[in-house]
Amino acid sequence: MSQNQSFIPVAEPSIGDKELIYVTDCLKSGWISSLGEYVRSFENQFAVYCETQYGVATFNGTVALHLLIATLNLGIGDEVIVPSLTFVATANAVRYTGATPVFVDSERQTWNIDPAAVAAAITPRTKAIIAVHLYGHPADMDALRAIADKYNLLLLEDAAEAHGARYKGRRVGSLGDAAIFSFYGNKIITTGEGGIIVTHNQAWAERAFFLENQGRYNDNPYFHPELAFNYRMTNIQAAIGLAQLERIDQLIEIRQRNAAHYNRRLAEVVGLTLPPAMAWAENVYWMYSVLIEDEFGLSRDEVRARLRAANIDTRPFFYPVHTLPMYHSGQSLPIAEDLAQRGINLPSASTLTPEQIERVCDTLIELQR
Ligand SMILES: *Cc1c(COP(=O)(O)O)cnc(C)c1O
């Protein structure tokens, strides 16, 4: 195992010439804040890409989620059901509004929110469910929709990790009542920092735009009838995003091809569980992830350390949010906790080469010798 081979990151953005051209055009135009053609084009085109009608772009994905929950008027006294195995922002955005995130366990098969656990967590205070499409694999939206309809709850998607993924042929982002995406630098497409709300609901889109824009109406811009936010995306961000969006199909295709390559090499390895791939899902593999089972013979952390010694970066799965200090209650969610302890994100960028994938797989397989 050679120490001096080049470093392979878990994630890195793919920035092309078009991004430079659009950003340069944006800067030269002088429209560098949140007014400008790129923001409106990006919102419209991303909404169309998601098979939705409206897009409201924001400064990052976390504020998109906060803005969405504020738009839906959820707050103190309301409960919002979230998976515990997710990035912390899913729960924080609920908490920012004064509403209470209620954590539920994951399904072993998909690593996503377990619909049966959702049904069991409903109380008279429950107002919404947030599905997260973890690492690029869609959650079981039909099962969640049935529960949401039965109990008259909002069904929201945190699709920050799953741009372009499909559930039974339909794009994520179009399946819930509204959805958010993130365009952070390591996401499937990026705007540096960035986010968006997409929805079919015109009134919500207008309300979200009003609230992210300091609570103003264009015909009377310094009269602010309500407490609101500045969560707007800049035209510079949107210029990057528009160029990325023009290449999104290609970026996803590369991730799927890379995942197939990993799957071919790793399928026979004892003690490795490969990423979920339900028949009804199209996974976009934001992160190509594996579980290190006991039969592998080394602990998850040992595997990570040995890969690191070979100059291969990995990440552990998220800590289940219910175990973090600000949410800790002694609650036990055994599947989320087990997945979190076994999971590794392997190098997953769309810049990854077949040679690099071979090196990661060779190194991983070598660990068992
Ligand atoms: C990345 C991410 C977000 C939002 O992230 P930002 O960095 O604020 O854009 C929200 N939820 C999940 C599940 C994420 O992975």
Side-chain angles (χ1 to χ4, degrees):
M1 206 180 312
S2 134
Q3 314 297 105
N4 52 20
Q5 283 183 296
S6 65
F7 179 73
I8 307 179
V10 167
E12 68 179 351
S14 163
I15 303 294
D17 294 338
K18 211 51 176 297
E19 284 80 344
L20 284 174
I21 292 167
Y22 286 179
V23 168
T24 305
D25 175 62
C26 174
L27 293 174
K28 286 185 173 165
S29 78
W31 295 100
I32 59 174
S33 292
S34 55
L35 292 174
E37 288 306 308
Y38 283 107
V39 180
R40 301 288 90 84
S41 300
F42 182 64
E43 285 173 331
N44 292 335
Q45 291 185 36
F46 193 77
V48 168
Y49 177 78
C50 293
E51 301 171 357
T52 58
Q53 298 199 51
Y54 305 99
V56 180
T58 60
F59 200 82
N60 62 52
T62 305
V63 301
L65 202 50
H66 180 205
L67 180 66
L68 176 58
I69 296 165
T71 294
L72 300 173
N73 212 17
L74 302 178
I76 293 167
D78 297 328
E79 293 178 355
V80 179
I81 298 176
V82 299
S84 180
L85 189 60
T86 179
F87 183 55
V88 68
T90 313
N92 285 350
V94 173
R95 178 65 77 79
Y96 296 157
T97 67
T100 304
V102 172
F103 299 103
V104 300
D105 213 347
S106 310
E107 295 179 307
R108 188 162 293 280
Q109 265 198 311
T110 66
W111 307 349
N112 281 317
I113 191 166
D114 181 349
V118 170
I122 290 170
T123 75
R125 290 171 175 246
T126 308
K127 293 285 160 52
I129 304 164
I130 304 180
V132 180
H133 309 302
L134 196 71
Y135 301 133
H137 188 288
D140 187 356
M141 294 301 290
D142 281 352
L144 295 169
R145 172 55 76 193
I147 296 166
D149 286 352
K150 179 168 173 195
Y151 294 96
N152 196 21
L153 308 175
L154 294 162
L155 177 58
L156 310 178
E157 294 172 80
D158 178 344
E161 306 183 355
H163 315 59
R166 290 181 189 273
Y167 175 81
K168 298 183 181 172
R170 293 152 66 204
R171 278 262 152 79
V172 305
S174 69
L175 305 162
D177 297 307
I180 70 96
F181 290 83
S182 163
F183 306 110
Y184 185 67
N186 68 9
K187 296 288 161 77
I188 287 174
I189 62 169
T190 185
T191 61
E193 295 272 357
I196 198 168
I197 296 172
V198 295
T199 181
H200 309 292
N201 188 311
Q202 182 177 3
W204 292 350
E206 286 170 1
R207 176 78 183 155
F209 183 73
F210 170 81
L211 286 177
E212 80 161 351
N213 195 27
Q214 306 279 22
R216 59 162 42 119
Y217 296 107
N218 284 336
D219 58 357
N220 193 0
Y222 295 100
F223 179 70
H224 307 274
E226 288 180 56
L227 184 70
F229 315 104
N230 176 358
Y231 281 175
R232 298 174 304 236
M233 176 179 273
T234 69
N235 209 37
I236 308 171
Q237 289 172 291
I240 302 170
L242 200 61
Q244 291 265 296
L245 190 54
E246 290 175 6
R247 298 196 289 130
I248 192 168
D249 291 340
Q250 183 199 340
L251 293 170
I252 291 172
E253 221 179 278
I254 294 169
R255 282 175 189 273
Q256 292 175 331
R257 196 188 319 138
N258 288 347
H261 187 168
Y262 271 126
N263 282 343
R264 274 198 307 280
R265 286 294 316 276
L266 301 178
E268 302 306 320
V269 179
V270 174
L272 269 195
T273 297
L274 303 187
M278 302 300 282
W280 40 257
E282 184 182 338
N283 191 341
V284 287
Y285 298 97
W286 173 54
M287 288 285 158
Y288 183 88
S289 310
V290 295
L291 305 179
I292 308 296
E293 310 292 356
D294 294 342
E295 300 73 46
F296 189 84
L298 292 171
S299 73
R300 187 272 304 271
D301 294 338
E302 186 65 20
V303 170
R304 291 195 61 223
R306 303 249 193 127
L307 289 173
R308 188 66 192 75
N311 239 349
I312 296 166
D313 193 23
T314 63
R315 262 181 228 164
F317 274 20
F318 300 121
Y319 285 91
V321 180
H322 76 282
T323 66
L324 297 176
M326 62 283 198
Y327 296 112
H328 185 79
S329 68
Q331 185 184 12
S332 154
L333 297 172
I335 296 172
E337 289 164 30
D338 187 61
L339 294 171
Q341 279 174 22
R342 298 184 182 282
I344 296 187
N345 308 131
L346 295 177
S348 303
S350 49
T351 53
L352 203 62
T353 65
E355 295 70 32
Q356 288 177 314
I357 295 171
E358 286 292 304
R359 206 179 111 207
V360 175
C361 295
D362 287 343
T363 309
L364 202 51
I365 290 164
E366 192 68 24
L367 295 183
Q368 283 192 320
R369 298 259 156 78

